Amino acid sequence: MSRIFNFSAGPAALPEAVLSQVQAEMLEWGDTGASVMEVSHRGKPFMETAAQAEQDLRDLMGIPGNYTVLFLQGGATAQFSAVPLNLLNGKKSADYSLTGHWSKKAIADAKRFCEVNVVCDTSEEGYKHVPSVDEWQLDNNAAYLHITPNETIAGVEFDWLPETDLPIVADVSSTILSRPIDVSKYGVIYAGAQKNIGPAGLTIVIVRDDLIGNFPNNAPRLMDYQVMADSDSMNNTPPTFAWYLAGKVFTWLKEQGGIAAMADKNRIKAETLYAYIDGSDGFYSNPVAVDSRSRMNIPFLLANSDLDADFLSQSQKADLHSLKGHRSVGGMRASIYNAMSLDGVNALIDFMDSFKTDNS
Ligand SMILES: Cc1ncc(COP(=O)(O)O)c(C=O)c1O
């Protein structure tokens, strides 16, 4: 068996070293005589593993003591509703930036609970850049400002924050742990795990403590940050396997030198691929404004889209998988999260170059 280079946007590649450890522990985890999936979440072995995973995440991200870390279910999509339910606290509206498919979805769900003030909107151009902050129309009476710092489908990313007194809520599903962020500048950070954290089924929420405790009593209690904080995310059975595996990814990240070291690697990987695309004499192109380009999800188009099917079938044969772009965008997309090596990116570039030679 040989493992492919997996460019999937999510569920995405996991570090091979982590998968090997999990494989070795599959039948007997520690001295439990069972797999981690078969033991109680309330027993000592799992409780210790869960607590260690949280501590490692706190260390990696520098999460301040006045923030609670929750290990939840429901994906980032559940947070599209949980955020307004927890944060509106009597206010009637919330600010949202609209920079891609996922912010659009977050807005649609928020509209079920409040008025949404869209502070910037690039939908008409097809999400090709992030408007500079002086173009944003913030409403300071809103309950919070929601942003999507990396749009997984359009491949649009920004790493700055507007100056505002509103709590900033960020859907970091596809950028968490890929570069350092200053957690203290946010009210809530949330992410589905299946890109840079671990398997699908786990959602991380990092919430500033003063924003907890204002949940309406007629909404699902599992979405109440207070309920989940009071029970250490174990009000009901948590996704134990995903939590355990995420913990192993956090340990692996520490061994790699932490988030700053990953950010360097990620910058080099992305620069290498963009440089090749930009230098391909128009055979390939990336549609996103240079200053808004994602380091994690790199869409690219072939000038001759009649070649798309060939490109995909030949790349697959070359063990370069999941390169098909999202159906709303077309073309290709290479997702290069933490577990994708520079070797994988170089293998993709070698393939792209020989495909170009064969078809020019
Ligand atoms: C930025 C972003 N937000 C939200 C989601 C939805 O996540 P989930 O499927 O975990 O609900 C995704 C999924 O790809 C995403 O990339």
Side-chain angles (χ1 to χ4, degrees):
M1 187 199 74
S2 69
R3 276 176 60 80
I4 52 161
F5 286 121
N6 179 3
F7 294 93
S8 171
L14 287 164
E16 200 171 319
V18 168
L19 294 176
S20 296
Q21 279 174 36
V22 172
Q23 183 182 40
E25 294 175 359
M26 186 58 81
L27 295 182
E28 286 178 52
W29 177 51
D31 55 13
T32 63
S35 85
V36 67
M37 287 174 279
E38 301 167 299
V39 300
S40 169
H41 55 293
R42 312 232 179 253
K44 197 168 169 231
F46 187 78
M47 295 285 273
E48 281 176 1
T49 298
Q52 188 60 50
E54 177 181 335
Q55 188 55 53
D56 287 339
L57 182 64
R58 284 184 175 276
D59 297 345
L60 283 165
M61 293 184 68
I63 300 173
N66 62 327
Y67 283 72
T68 294
V69 180
L70 303 174
F71 289 76
L72 306 180
Q73 303 186 57
T77 304
Q79 294 307 310
F80 294 167
S81 297
V83 163
L85 283 167
N86 281 279
L87 265 60
L88 279 172
N89 194 15
K91 294 223 173 181
K92 297 270 175 285
S93 73
D95 282 356
Y96 277 72
S97 62
L98 174 49
T99 52
H101 174 103
W102 292 110
S103 26
K104 190 172 177 197
K105 292 228 169 199
I107 288 168
D109 280 3
K111 279 185 173 164
R112 300 162 71 102
F113 306 104
C114 64
E115 286 162 31
V116 169
N117 171 44
V118 177
V119 301
C120 65
D121 177 354
T122 57
S123 55
E124 273 193 15
E125 65 165 34
Y127 308 121
K128 292 191 171 53
H129 83 295
V130 177
S132 72
V133 72
D134 41 293
E135 294 171 52
W136 289 32
Q137 315 259 320
L138 293 177
D139 169 8
N140 289 323
N141 292 316
Y144 58 88
L145 165 66
H146 182 283
I147 59 173
T148 309
N150 187 69
E151 283 284 357
T152 320
I153 292 174
V156 165
E157 184 167 16
F158 61 107
D159 69 347
W160 43 265
L161 293 177
E163 282 293 328
T164 174
D165 292 334
L166 299 179
I168 296 178
V169 179
D171 171 2
V172 294
S173 294
S174 47
T175 189
I176 189 169
L177 300 171
S178 72
R179 61 204 299 170
I181 60 170
D182 181 351
V183 175
S184 71
K185 294 207 153 58
Y186 297 81
V188 179
I189 292 170
Y190 66 90
Q194 64 273 20
K195 301 161 198 303
N196 252 345
I197 296 174
L202 172 70
T203 314
I204 302 278
V205 176
I206 303 167
V207 51
R208 209 175 63 213
D209 289 344
D210 62 284
L211 297 172
I212 300 178
N214 306 301
F215 197 79
N217 59 16
N218 60 350
R221 60 197 306 280
L222 286 182
M223 284 193 174
D224 183 347
Y225 294 156
Q226 181 83 65
V227 167
M228 295 317 261
D230 288 349
S231 58
D232 291 331
S233 307
M234 296 198 196
N235 186 264
N236 66 328
T237 312
T240 50
F241 182 70
W243 192 333
Y244 145 92
L245 205 150
K248 293 213 177 296
V249 172
F250 300 154
T251 307
W252 177 81
L253 284 171
K254 282 185 158 179
E255 289 162 4
Q256 305 306 302
I259 307 297
M262 290 318 296
D264 283 341
K265 289 183 191 164
N266 288 329
R267 183 180 45 74
I268 291 167
K269 285 178 333 198
E271 281 174 4
T272 307
L273 185 48
Y274 283 120
Y276 175 72
I277 292 169
D278 291 344
S280 69
D281 300 323
F283 191 89
Y284 302 105
S285 65
N286 168 271
V288 178
V290 172
D291 64 359
S292 304
R293 285 175 163 180
S294 169
R295 288 187 187 171
M296 293 285 100
N297 311 97
I298 303 187
F300 57 92
L301 302 170
L302 276 66
N304 177 1
S305 59
D306 291 346
L307 295 172
D308 283 3
D310 254 5
F311 182 95
L312 285 168
S313 73
Q314 289 185 35
S315 57
Q316 175 111 353
K317 283 189 195 125
D319 283 345
L320 306 161
H321 283 222
S322 299
L323 284 164
K324 194 173 190 330
H326 190 268
R327 59 193 178 281
S328 64
V329 179
M332 313 297 152
R333 172 177 50 172
S335 294
I336 52 172
Y337 302 114
N338 286 339
M340 175 56 65
S341 61
L342 182 58
D343 283 350
V345 171
N346 283 327
L348 172 60
I349 291 172
D350 286 347
F351 170 80
M352 290 168 73
D353 208 40
S354 60
F355 186 86
K356 173 176 176 256
T357 306
D358 292 347
N359 291 283
S360 295

